[in-house]
């Protein structure tokens, strides 16, 4: 006999009494009486039993209750027949009697007939014994009530039925002649037996066998699974089609940009060859100052150059406009431009700040990033930020953490330079020795909220500001800014990267009123202005980036997976992009754009692309480690294709 996987788990007395108390509750009994299908009832029983500390599946609870009911009916029938001899069969007889006394009366004789299987007339079923299911339940009933297994699983179950007295012919001898008193015929014997044992017609089960129900369930499951895979295949095909369309559109946009740049180059060459009188007057678009509507997160607009503007503007600027300035200004001027067009415009700006890979460079030239954070409770966040900076293109990553976190962080990767000085008495002096070598600083990942660590972080921020280093503040660093906004207020190379909860807390701390969640662009602009026009990145379904004057939206497709550590990937990569953007701006590349906003857009695009690619591979099980593995391919797809 094949052993059922839902059976064979022994129940202790305490666990059984807890199960009976739950099963005997009024709402459970009412649900059992009013529903033919009771699987959801036993799921509720299993959940309540799990709340008390006993983990059992709904099927195990159902089998146990069924076994107890059989024991109870056997014991009750034994009390009626043999004057209490079978009361020992059911250890929980009193509890079952209390519960089942309020329910419709059960038929003990019907249960005995179904177990015995051989007491019906005709003699054809007298030797059949128990059916397979009844035998298994009888075995479970005995083993679960006594706590031991009385016989192996392969041993056939034998039942001893009550003995039935059979009349024996009495031989009476009178003198020499003797006569035997016998029943007249066999019908008299049958009538005697029927008089002693009342016959009951065995009821046939009207429901389907469990095998048929299981077969139907499996067929439906296979059909549903086929439908799911078919729909998933259609979705993937549609996704591939959409990606091909987007790729074609991007190629078209790049061709248009190439044509535009080539026409500008030809215009410059023509203006240099022809006399100034015959040169056509080319006017560069002049960006108007930020209007009140623009401060509320709306796009700006072009202003037609006036005569005064033409006279005051340098002639070389009017005839030879900066192509990157045109791209940047076209983004803000077109109020009807789609998000994809905006993304493409800003991606071209990000591509212009990415340093080329040449053999003439030395170690550290493309970025040395410092991470301030990492304590005993939080060791993963600083690692994610530091390794993301390396994967994005930095040459060196330094982690300044507490002593008890240093060993753990160092064990994650040998590429990281770990300094266990954050909780030392002279932490600020130790970190200040390294500040001249760093190109950007990320404050907050895994920092914690201890007063001493926050005080050290504040002093390090102050010293970094004097060295004009880009500072990215995230996570617990934003908690410090909420308590003391002046620590970063007005610093033009500072970037804050709050999520929605951190943004709400910071907004209410500065404005002393609830935030209007219906207009997030207006709220993020107001908070940036309140912080001295510092660059702000509000992470969400679409990342909002603003410097208090203008708002841009990063709508690169991500995914619905939000696992811990994604913000650390953003802050670490943002440190690298901030160094590249400010270095390019100092070299004269893209001066008309705010370098911090360009860096923020590049980091947001990279993080969202990594999330999308990792989700395509791993689905719901995507973690931050999976995203970090996608940084290389995502960077190449976005900025090097």
């Amino acid at each position: 006999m094949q052993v059922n996987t839902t059976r064979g788990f022994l129940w202790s007395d305490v666990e059984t009494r807890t199960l009976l108390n739950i099963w005997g509750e009024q709402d459970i009994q009412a649900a059992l009486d009013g529903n033919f299908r009771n699987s959801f009832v036993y799921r509720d029983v299993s959940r309540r039993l799990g709340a008390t500390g006993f983990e059992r599946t709904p099927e195990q609870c159902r089998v146990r209750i069924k076994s107890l009911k059989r024991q109870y009916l056997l014991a009750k029938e034994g009390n009626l027949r043999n004057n209490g001899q079978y009361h020992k069969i059911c250890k929980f007889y009193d509890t079952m009697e209390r519960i089942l006394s309020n329910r419709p009366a059960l038929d003990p004789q019907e249960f005995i007939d179904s177990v015995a299987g051989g007491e019906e007339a005709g003699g054809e079923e007298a030797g059949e014994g128990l059916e397979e299911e009844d035998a298994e339940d009888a075995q479970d009933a005995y083993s679960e009530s006594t706590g031991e297994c009385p016989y192996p699983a392969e041993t056939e179950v034998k039942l001893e039925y009550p003995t039935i007295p059979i009349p024996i012919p009495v031989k009476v001898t009178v003198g020499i002649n003797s006569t035997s008193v016998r029943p007249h015929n066999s019908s008299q014997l049958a009538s005697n037996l029927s008089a002693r044992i009342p016959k009951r017609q065995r009821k046939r089960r009207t429901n389907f066998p469990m095998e048929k129900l299981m077969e139907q369930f499996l067929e439906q499951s296979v059909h549903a699974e086929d439908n799911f895979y078919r729909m998933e295949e259609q979705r993937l095909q549609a996704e591939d089609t959409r990606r091909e369309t987007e790729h074609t559109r991007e190629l078209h946009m790049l061709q248009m940009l190439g044509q535009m740049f080539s026409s500008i180059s030809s215009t410059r060459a023509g203006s240099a060859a022809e006399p100034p009188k015959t040169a056509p007057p080319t006017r560069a678009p002049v960006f108007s100052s930020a209007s009140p509507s623009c401060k509320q997160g709306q796009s700006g607009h072009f202003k037609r150059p006036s005569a005064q503007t033409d006279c005051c503007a340098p002639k070389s600027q009017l005839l030879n406009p900066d192509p990157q300035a045109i791209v940047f200004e076209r983004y803000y001027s077109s109020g009807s431009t789609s998000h994809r067009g905006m993304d493409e415009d800003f991606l071209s700006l990000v591509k212009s700040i990415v340093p080329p890979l040449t053999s003439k460079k030395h170690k550290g030239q493309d970025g040395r990033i410092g991470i301030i954070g990492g304590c005993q409770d939080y060791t993963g966040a600083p690692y994610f930020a530091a390794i993301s900076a390396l994967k994005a293109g930095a040459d060196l990553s330094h982690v300044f953490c507490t002593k008890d976190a240093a060993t753990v962080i160092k064990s994650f990767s040998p590429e990281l330079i770990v300094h266990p000085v954050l909780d030392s008495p002279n932490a600020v002096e130790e970190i200040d020795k390294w500040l001249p070598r760093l190109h950007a600083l990320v404050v907050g990942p895994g920092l914690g909220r201890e007063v001493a660590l926050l005080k050290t972080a504040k002093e390090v921020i102050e010293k970094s500001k004097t060295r004009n280093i880009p500072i990215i503040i995230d996570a617990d660093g934003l908690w410090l800014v909420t308590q003391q906004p002046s620590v970063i207020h007005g610093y033009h190379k500072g970037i804050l990267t709050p999520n929605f909860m951190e943004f709400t807390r910071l907004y209410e701390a500065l404005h002393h009123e609830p935030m209007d969640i219906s207009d997030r662009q207006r709220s993020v602009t107001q908070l940036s202005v309140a912080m001295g026009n510092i660059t702000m990145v509000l992470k969400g379904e679409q990342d909002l980036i603003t410097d208090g004057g203008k708002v841009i939206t990063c709508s690169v497709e991500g995914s619905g997976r939000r696992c811990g550590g994604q913000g650390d990937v953003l802050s670490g990569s943002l440190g690298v992009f901030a160094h590249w953007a400010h270095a390019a701006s100092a070299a004269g590349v893209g001066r008309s754009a705010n370098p911090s906003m360009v860096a923020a857009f590049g980091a947001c695009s990279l993080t969202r692309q990594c999330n999308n690619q990792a989700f395509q591979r791993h689905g719901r099980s995507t973690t931050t480690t999976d995203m970090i593995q996608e940084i290389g391919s995502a960077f190449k797809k976005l900025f090097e294709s």
Side-chain angles (χ1 to χ4, degrees), residues 71 82 104 159 214 217 237 400 444 473 511 541 555 582 598:
Q71 298 174 33
N82 297 325
L159 295 180
M214 184 59 67
F217 172 75
Q237 291 178 355
F400 300 90
I473 301 182
H511 291 83
E541 181 180 3
S555 58
H582 285 283
V598 176

Side-chain angles (χ1 to χ4, degrees), residues 53 74 93 119 131 160 172 200 217 225 245 327 401 418-419 466 472 486 502 504 617:
L74 285 171
Y93 181 86
E119 295 179 6
E131 295 178 359
E160 296 182 359
V172 181
R200 289 182 179 271
F217 172 75
E225 187 175 1
T245 305
V327 174
C401 61
V418 182
H419 308 271
T466 60
I472 292 85
S486 60
E502 295 166 340
T504 303
R617 292 178 179 268

Side-chain angles (χ1 to χ4, degrees), residues 289-361:
S289 60
S291 62
S293 61
C294 182
K295 290 184 179 182
Q296 296 179 3
Q298 300 175 357
S299 302
H301 56 85
F302 278 111
K303 179 175 67 177
R304 182 179 297 278
S306 59
Q308 183 179 359
T309 305
D310 292 340
C311 295
C312 297
K315 188 173 182 181
S316 60
Q317 178 181 355
L318 295 178
L319 295 177
N320 303 319
D322 187 2
Q324 294 174 349
I326 293 177
V327 174
F328 187 78
E329 292 170 356
R330 184 169 67 86
Y331 165 75
Y332 287 110
S333 65
S334 177
S336 60
T337 305
S338 63
H339 287 306
R340 182 159 303 280
M342 299 176 183
D343 290 353
E344 291 174 352
D345 292 343
F346 252 82
L347 283 176
S348 63
L349 290 174
V350 176
K351 291 179 181 180
S352 65
I353 67 171
V354 175
L357 298 176
T358 63
S359 58
K360 298 180 180 180
K361 291 184 177 180

Side-chain angles (χ1 to χ4, degrees), residues 153-189:
E154 299 296 330
T155 305
E156 181 181 1
V157 180
K158 296 182 180 180
L159 295 180
E160 296 182 359
Y161 304 107
T163 58
I164 302 173
I166 302 175
I168 302 175
V170 180
K171 187 174 184 181
V172 181
T173 306
V174 181
I176 300 176
N177 300 324
S178 62
T179 59
S180 296
V181 180
R182 298 176 180 274
H184 297 289
N185 49 33
S186 60
S187 61
Q188 182 179 357
L189 177 59

Side-chain angles (χ1 to χ4, degrees), residues 249-262:
R249 188 181 305 157
E250 290 176 358
L251 292 178
H252 181 65
M253 291 296 299
L254 290 176
Q255 291 176 358
M256 293 179 60
L257 288 174
Q259 294 176 0
M260 181 182 68
F261 291 152
S262 61

Side-chain angles (χ1 to χ4, degrees), residues 602-624:
C604 290
S605 302
L606 180 62
T607 304
R608 297 172 71 92
Q609 182 65 29
C610 292
N611 182 262
N612 179 270
Q613 292 182 189
F615 186 78
Q616 295 297 328
R617 292 178 179 268
H618 304 282
R620 188 175 293 272
S621 64
T622 301
T623 61
T624 303

Side-chain angles (χ1 to χ4, degrees), residues 19-29 98-99:
L19 174 65
L20 287 176
N21 291 336
I22 295 174
W23 181 69
E25 294 180 2
Q26 185 177 359
D27 57 337
I28 297 295
Q29 292 296 315
R98 175 178 55 82
I99 296 174

